[in-house]
């Protein structure tokens, strides 16, 4: 069996890459460890940059995000019990972000892939990328105890932070990492979002909070929590009470509560693996980097890696040039480190750290006050939030 590009992982990176390559007439097969339902059951990102929406359009899957996505012109910061809108649109000469869940985006891509008759091998066991240092890479996998082999021209490692692709080259990778001393407890609920047209980021004495949404009838909220907390410790009532206590009185009053339909705790991490190319294998998305979710960069970074990778592979196959694949890693990393810096900074600014007392807390207070009163400082936040240019 043979394909041009073997893609490992059917998350947003792998599915989007497959779709962009297909549009350009390049054959590809995706190997996914989990079932399609399992992939769709993971509740993750919710905010798309304009470059990500443009890429979905380019891939031919932009119809639903255009129709159902909710455009946001601003964000709000809440601290010291007061709300401070940041006019992201005005500060960036007209840029916006769109609220549209990763689950929906993944569903759109899966449906387009099925409609195009492209192959995705779900529940593929023991997927192993091989031979990529030479001219004839291949992937092996098992199904029902039998091992299979797919020959290819290139392998795309789109298999997330715990995937096999980066693990295969772990001796050749330089890793940079920061782990944060808290997690996010997230709740999804079928209630109207308290702030339908601006994501709210809160810093209070009790810790960070975030009011987000998936649609005008489905909200997504988070509170900072200790890493050793268990989801079972958090009844719905305790969650809503804690969220209210971290917001300003008007927002707290306006929150519509209801039963949670999903509740989970995620750790926060910054991570970058360098480089992102190993002969004929490339890493893309969470396989190569993780950002803490403050600032909503994870999914958007994955999309821009895929933009660079698809462009590089298309020019290799169509124009017989290596230039794109040779510059892939450097181009991605330059953008990734800027998003890493922004996510780390916003995380540091908006959370309560166990070891930050006295002086450190005054620094955070002063920076927040400066941020919302200085047009220059607000502009730095806004232009990073909407996403730096490609
Ligand atoms: P994904 O989505 O992790 O998909 C990788 C896919 O590869 C499969 N896989 C394998 N397949 C075959 N063989 C193997 N050995 C394999 N190992 C793994 C996996 O099953 C999976 O289907 O990576 P991708 O495509 O790069 O997409 C990246 C985004 O998912 C990610 O950046 C964001 O979701 C990050 N993220 C968030 N980003 C935001 O912008 N805002 C958020 O609110 C937000 N919340 C989150 C998040 C990531 C989380 N994770 C990873 C724990 C919340 C969580 C819980
Ligand atoms: C989300 O909607 O899940 C979300 C929004 C903004 C963030 C992180 C997560 O910064």
């Amino acid at each position: 069996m043979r394909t041009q590009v073997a893609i490992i992982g059917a998350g947003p990176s792998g599915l989007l890459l497959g779709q962009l390559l297909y549009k350009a007439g390049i054959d590809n097969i995706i190997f996914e460890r989990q079932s399609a339902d399992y992939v769709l059951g993971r509740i993750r990102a919710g905010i798309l940059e304009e470059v990500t929406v443009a890429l979905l359009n380019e891939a031919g899957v932009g119809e639903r995000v255009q129709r159902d996505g909710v455009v946001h012109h601003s964000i709000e910061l809440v601290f010291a019990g007061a709300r401070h809108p940041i006019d992201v649109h005005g500060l960036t000469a007209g840029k916006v972000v769109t609220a549209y869940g990763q689950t929906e985006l993944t569903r759109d891509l899966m449906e387009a892939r099925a409609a195009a008759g492209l192959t995705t091998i779900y529940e593929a066991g023991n997927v192993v990328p091989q031979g990529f240092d030479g001219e004839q890479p291949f992937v092996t996998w098992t199904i029902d105890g039998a091992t299979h082999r797919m020959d290819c021209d290139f392998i795309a490692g789109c298999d997330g932070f715990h995937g096999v692709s980066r693990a295969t080259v772990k001796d050749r990778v330089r890793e940079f990492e920061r782990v944060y001393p808290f997690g996010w407890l997230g709740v999804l609920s079928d209630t109207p979002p308290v702030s339908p047209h601006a994501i709210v980021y809160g810093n209070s004495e009790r810790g960070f909070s975030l009011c987000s949404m998936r649609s005008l009838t489905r909200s997504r909220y988070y509170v900072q929590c200790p890493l050793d907390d268990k989801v079972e410790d958090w009844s719905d009532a305790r969650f809503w009470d804690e969220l209210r206590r971290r917001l300003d009185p008007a927002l707290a009053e306006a929150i519509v509560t209801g039963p949670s339909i999903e509740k989970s705790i995620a750790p926060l991490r910054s991570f970058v693996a360098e480089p992102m190319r190993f002969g004929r294998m490339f890493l893309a998305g969470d396989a190569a980097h993780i950002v803490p979710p403050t600032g909503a960069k994870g999914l958007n970074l994955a999309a821009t890696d895929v933009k660079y990778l698809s462009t590089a592979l298309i020019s290799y196959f169509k124009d017989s040039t290596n230039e794109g694949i040779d510059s892939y890693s450097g181009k991605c990393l330059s953008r990734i480190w800027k998003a890493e810096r922004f996510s780390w900074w916003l995380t540091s600014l908006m959370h309560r750290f166990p070891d930050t007392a006295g002086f450190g807390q005054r620094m955070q207070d002063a920076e927040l006050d400066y941020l919302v009163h200085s047009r220059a400082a607000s502009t730095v936040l806004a232009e990073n939030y909407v996403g730096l240019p490609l």
Side-chain angles (χ1 to χ4, degrees):
M1 284 187 281
R2 185 171 177 85
T3 187
Q4 285 173 291
V5 182
I7 300 172
I8 307 180
S13 303
L15 288 165
L16 183 58
L17 178 64
Q19 194 63 19
L20 290 166
L21 293 178
Y22 159 72
K23 285 260 153 196
I26 297 167
D27 187 39
N28 62 86
I29 289 193
I30 300 185
F31 300 91
E32 166 59 49
R33 178 166 60 181
Q34 307 288 355
S35 68
D37 283 347
Y38 182 97
V39 171
L40 286 172
R42 295 186 295 221
I43 307 298
R44 291 183 176 175
I47 299 293
L48 307 184
E49 296 174 4
E50 286 184 9
V51 289
T52 305
V53 174
L55 211 50
L56 294 173
N57 285 328
E58 192 180 321
V61 295
E63 196 186 314
R64 222 153 58 90
V65 65
Q66 302 283 0
R67 194 190 62 209
D68 299 343
V70 180
V71 170
H72 287 183
H73 290 79
S74 60
I75 59 173
E76 278 195 27
L77 301 184
V78 174
F79 55 91
R83 290 162 75 171
H84 303 271
I86 307 276
D87 175 13
V88 163
H89 182 262
L91 292 165
T92 59
K95 291 209 163 62
V96 296
V97 294
T98 301
Y100 190 70
Q102 179 167 331
T103 312
E104 300 312 310
L105 181 152
T106 307
R107 195 190 310 280
D108 295 344
L109 286 163
M110 281 181 176
E111 283 176 5
R113 192 166 175 85
L118 302 175
T119 306
T120 309
I121 300 177
Y122 286 102
E123 300 181 71
N126 197 22
V127 177
V128 187
Q130 304 185 53
F132 46 83
D133 283 321
E135 294 295 305
Q136 291 163 343
F138 60 99
V139 169
T140 54
W141 77 100
T142 57
I143 291 243
D144 296 333
T147 301
H148 305 271
R149 170 180 171 138
M150 178 74 60
D151 292 295
C152 55
D153 295 304
F154 293 101
I155 299 172
C158 300
D159 47 351
F161 184 63
H162 299 289
V164 63
S165 304
R166 194 182 72 253
T168 306
V169 287
K170 66 174 185 306
D171 299 342
R172 295 151 67 180
V173 166
R174 181 158 183 214
E175 298 187 346
F176 302 82
E177 182 169 47
R178 169 147 310 180
V179 175
Y180 299 86
F182 39 72
W184 278 19
L185 168 67
V187 159
L188 190 68
S189 94
D190 277 331
T191 49
V194 68
S195 171
H197 296 291
I199 304 296
V200 179
Y201 292 86
N203 177 333
S204 88
E205 276 171 16
R206 302 182 66 86
F208 172 79
S209 60
L210 171 58
C211 306
S212 181
M213 57 182 290
R214 291 293 175 271
S215 70
L216 295 174
T217 55
R218 179 168 284 187
S219 25
R220 180 73 167 157
Y221 297 103
Y222 299 90
V223 294
Q224 172 185 350
C225 69
L227 268 176
D228 51 9
D229 271 16
K230 302 273 170 285
V231 172
E232 305 77 69
D233 301 335
W234 287 88
S235 65
D236 287 0
R238 181 179 172 206
F239 178 84
W240 293 120
D241 183 51
E242 186 60 41
L243 178 65
R244 284 202 185 97
R245 294 169 79 168
R246 295 183 187 195
L247 295 169
D248 75 293
L251 269 179
E253 174 76 16
I255 285 185
V256 180
T257 63
S260 65
I261 53 174
E262 196 265 359
K263 200 187 279 162
S264 52
I265 295 179
L268 271 68
R269 182 195 304 272
S270 300
F271 174 88
V272 180
E274 294 183 354
M276 290 170 61
R277 177 195 175 188
F278 301 86
R280 285 176 170 260
M281 179 171 83
F282 305 89
L283 303 180
D286 279 19
H289 44 78
I290 296 284
V291 287
T294 335
K297 290 289 159 229
L299 174 58
N300 292 296
L301 269 187
T304 41
D305 288 358
V306 165
K307 167 74 182 165
Y308 290 138
L309 184 53
S310 58
T311 306
L313 291 172
I314 292 166
S315 58
Y316 174 87
F317 285 112
K318 302 284 172 207
D319 309 324
S320 306
T321 161
N322 283 349
E323 202 207 310
I325 58 178
D326 288 342
S327 58
Y328 170 73
S329 182
K331 254 179 153 171
C332 286
L333 286 164
S334 152
R335 198 162 186 283
I336 288 159
W337 275 114
K338 294 185 190 89
E340 290 283 347
R341 186 209 66 79
F342 174 65
S343 307
W344 158 83
W345 167 75
L346 197 56
T347 301
S348 310
L349 183 67
M350 297 308 295
H351 291 75
R352 295 290 161 137
F353 286 70
D355 54 354
T356 305
F359 185 81
Q361 191 53 53
R362 288 287 185 276
M363 289 296 98
Q364 210 185 51
D365 298 345
E367 186 166 7
L368 282 165
D369 193 42
Y370 173 62
L371 184 61
V372 299
H373 291 108
S374 155
R375 188 178 170 88
S378 299
T379 304
V380 171
L381 169 60
E383 74 179 12
N384 281 275
Y385 197 77
V386 298
L388 297 176
L390 278 174

